[in-house]
Amino acid sequence: MQRTVDVFAARAAPAIFVVLWSTGFVGTKYALNGAEPLTYLVIRMLLVVALMAVIAAIGRPWWPDLKGVGHSIVAGLLVHGFYLAGTSIAIAHSIPAGLSALIPGLQPILISTLASRFLGERVTPLQWGGLLLGLGGVLMILHNRTMSGDAGWGWFASGVSLVSITIGTLYQKRFCSKIDWRAGNVIQYLAALTLFALGAWLFESREVHWTAEFIAAVVWLAVVLSIGSIGLLYWLIRRHASTSVASLFYLVPAVTALMAYVLFGERLDALAIAGMVACAAAVFLVNRPRA
């Protein structure tokens, strides 16, 4: 019975992760109606750190040594800090929620190159084909979009988030995989909180409109995204190769775009829908078992 549950959980986890991760872009759009991007992230991280501190106090995990703390800080700045700042700033600079996931959706191409180079993970020709197919799908979804002016800064911020989450995923797998997730996450989120607080103090007015929509969005993003989906991501990283985990991000732009269409009326044309199909096929190819 337990084995059946474990098998079902392992098979369902990728789909659950994609859906949860996609809600992050939609939730961020709602949260930005109440505060500037870094200010909102400070509030979100304060809640996350408090929740993780309670979880750690109850579980009493083994805490890493000074070297492990340093690795956790670096991973936290990459996976949470610059990634979340980049995506939030992108949405704040006129990038629709349905498109803000597109640049980070290129992660599998970059991460496969780095994983094969630095982690010794073998990427098969079929997987390379899937990665390229996914890249084509993302480009189809991205076609005919404005890349200048205020939107240009938004796309630049998305590029920062792409580089950050790519390097952070590899760094997490290589240096933090043996650190207890409860202790590691407390350190990582504290590092991200420090980054957001410094940025908000330097660059933003720090004004907050405490509407029901803002509070609900922040609670969802803190509990479901920062604790639920990040914990699931690290679980997947431990159980699967970096290339296979990264390929799941190909589905995020499509799922996010569908959510944005329903919630915000962000429309998709035929080429964008074809791009979604290509992304789904890419995930299938990249996740095929190696011979």
Side-chain angles (χ1 to χ4, degrees):
M1 179 64 180
Q2 182 61 42
R3 177 174 175 78
T4 301
V5 172
D6 291 341
V7 170
F8 175 79
R11 291 180 177 176
I16 294 172
F17 170 77
V18 169
V19 172
L20 292 182
W21 197 270
S22 299
T23 65
F25 299 93
V26 173
T28 296
K29 187 175 179 70
Y30 283 117
L32 290 176
N33 291 330
E36 294 167 283
L38 297 179
T39 299
Y40 129 70
L41 286 171
V42 169
I43 298 170
R44 172 178 171 178
M45 282 300 111
L46 284 171
L47 179 55
V48 171
V49 169
L51 292 172
M52 283 306 309
V54 171
I55 293 173
I58 295 174
R60 297 182 179 181
W62 171 81
W63 290 83
D65 56 17
L66 190 60
K67 185 177 181 180
V69 170
H71 286 314
S72 295
I73 290 173
V74 173
L77 290 175
L78 291 170
V79 175
H80 309 299
F82 290 104
Y83 172 73
L84 288 175
T87 55
S88 298
I89 291 171
I91 295 175
H93 281 76
S94 305
I95 304 299
L99 300 180
S100 62
L102 289 173
I103 297 299
L106 298 171
Q107 183 196 160
I109 296 293
L110 186 55
I111 206 170
S112 294
T113 303
L114 294 176
S116 62
R117 179 83 170 96
F118 297 109
L119 296 183
E121 294 183 3
R122 176 174 171 265
V123 183
T124 67
L126 184 62
Q127 287 179 312
W128 278 116
L131 292 167
L132 293 175
L133 177 62
L135 173 60
V138 171
L139 292 177
M140 282 191 284
I141 299 173
L142 189 61
H143 80 288
N144 200 28
R145 305 294 177 183
T146 301
M147 295 290 176
S148 60
D150 195 45
W153 286 109
W155 291 120
F156 174 78
S158 289
V160 171
S161 69
L162 163 64
V163 174
S164 178
I165 192 66
T166 299
I167 298 176
T169 300
L170 293 172
Y171 195 95
Q172 174 74 26
K173 183 175 180 66
R174 182 165 186 174
F175 297 109
C176 304
S177 60
K178 295 182 180 180
I179 297 175
D180 187 281
W181 69 274
R182 294 160 295 187
N185 276 352
V186 170
I187 298 168
Q188 290 187 19
Y189 286 128
L190 279 172
L193 172 60
T194 302
L195 176 68
F196 300 147
L198 179 61
W201 181 69
L202 290 174
F203 304 113
E204 296 182 352
S205 67
R206 300 176 298 285
E207 181 180 356
V208 179
H209 301 285
W210 294 97
T211 63
E213 177 185 275
F214 175 78
I215 294 172
V218 170
V219 170
W220 175 270
L221 292 165
V223 177
V224 178
L225 269 294
S226 291
I227 294 179
S229 69
I230 289 294
L232 187 55
L233 172 63
Y234 288 169
W235 183 81
L236 289 168
I237 289 173
R238 289 189 179 96
R239 290 178 61 93
H240 302 282
S242 297
T243 301
S244 296
V245 175
S247 70
L248 296 174
F249 285 86
Y250 269 143
L251 288 177
V252 172
V255 176
T256 303
L258 288 173
M259 291 180 180
Y261 171 75
V262 173
L263 296 172
F264 310 124
E266 296 177 5
R267 306 188 69 83
L268 299 171
D269 55 25
L271 188 58
I273 294 173
M276 292 182 187
V277 175
C279 288
V283 172
F284 174 77
L285 291 176
V286 171
N287 284 288
R288 282 179 64 86
R290 291 180 174 84

